[in-house]
Amino acid sequence: MIIIVMGVSGSGKTTIGKLLADSLGWEFSDADSFHSPENVEKMRRGIPLTEADRMPWLKDLQAAIKHWLQENKNVVLACSALKDSYRQFLVSDSDGSANAKDERTKLVYLKGSYELIQIRLKERSNHYMSEKLLNSQFDTLEEPLDTISMDVAQPPQIIVQNIRTALRL
């Protein structure tokens, strides 16, 4: 099974993803590590990525998900996946045919208010994602309707337990 933990920068994807993976004894992967050095530098400078910037990143993530599923691996992937089209792409085959109904891929949306996320980003250090990009993150965000949604104002351990309960894990 692949669990994609999604949300805007600062929502806790990496924190929750790692805790969830550890609690399940699964692998953890962070989509940030799939970004090119050029993309990282743009984000560090507060420049939003374009669709052209994102496409190689999305293709690499799609290939990783496909590989994990073929290998029957259990992986928690922290990934912004802000648009519905990105989420659909991640769970489609490389030829574009969707396998979104595959029960082995689950989506968990970490939802938080702009104000809470802004506070978290201001307190965060050693991360390339600039607080300047928060507006573009929320502008780009298309909230998923057919997924498990978690309020990020809760303590991380509670969020992880609620995810496990919702997914019956």
Side-chain angles (χ1 to χ4, degrees):
M1 177 183 289
I2 310 300
I3 300 172
I4 301 172
V5 179
M6 57 112 1
V8 298
S9 182
S11 62
K13 297 180 300 291
T14 300
T15 300
I16 299 303
K18 284 181 178 177
L19 286 171
L20 180 61
D22 287 348
S23 77
L24 294 167
W26 290 13
E27 290 182 38
F28 172 78
S29 187
D30 196 323
D32 285 348
S33 66
F34 288 76
H35 275 298
S36 69
E38 295 81 15
N39 282 2
V40 171
E41 185 55 31
K42 280 182 91 167
M43 290 183 280
R44 185 185 318 277
R45 294 190 343 231
I47 301 169
L49 298 180
T50 65
E51 295 299 310
D53 294 328
R54 282 189 192 93
M55 191 46 64
W57 174 70
L58 287 167
K59 286 180 179 178
D60 289 346
L61 287 168
Q62 179 193 57
I65 291 168
K66 185 176 180 180
H67 173 75
W68 295 329
L69 288 172
Q70 287 172 342
E71 297 288 319
N72 290 314
K73 289 188 175 185
N74 293 315
V75 179
V76 177
L77 173 65
C79 179
S80 55
L82 297 177
K83 287 187 175 184
D84 183 60
S85 61
Y86 303 163
R87 296 186 291 270
Q88 294 300 320
F89 183 82
L90 290 175
V91 297
S92 68
D93 290 329
S94 54
D95 66 1
S97 62
N99 64 4
K101 300 292 184 195
D102 190 327
E103 291 300 313
R104 299 176 300 161
T105 304
K106 304 292 183 184
L107 191 68
V108 175
Y109 171 41
L110 300 182
K111 183 176 182 170
S113 70
Y114 182 93
E115 294 75 21
L116 175 62
I117 304 296
Q118 185 177 39
I119 290 167
R120 287 182 175 185
L121 286 176
K122 284 181 180 179
E123 294 172 350
R124 187 159 78 174
S125 61
N126 298 325
H127 193 278
Y128 62 80
M129 187 66 171
S130 169
E131 177 198 341
K132 297 176 200 169
L133 292 176
L134 187 58
N135 283 337
S136 73
Q137 289 264 300
F138 273 91
D139 289 345
T140 302
L141 177 65
E142 296 172 0
E143 291 191 345
L145 303 175
D146 56 345
T147 189
I148 297 163
S149 182
M150 293 289 152
D151 179 359
V152 300
Q154 300 177 80
Q157 295 79 6
I158 299 297
I159 295 171
V160 168
Q161 186 54 54
N162 288 343
I163 293 169
R164 288 188 63 165
T165 300
L167 293 174
R168 296 185 178 106
L169 298 171

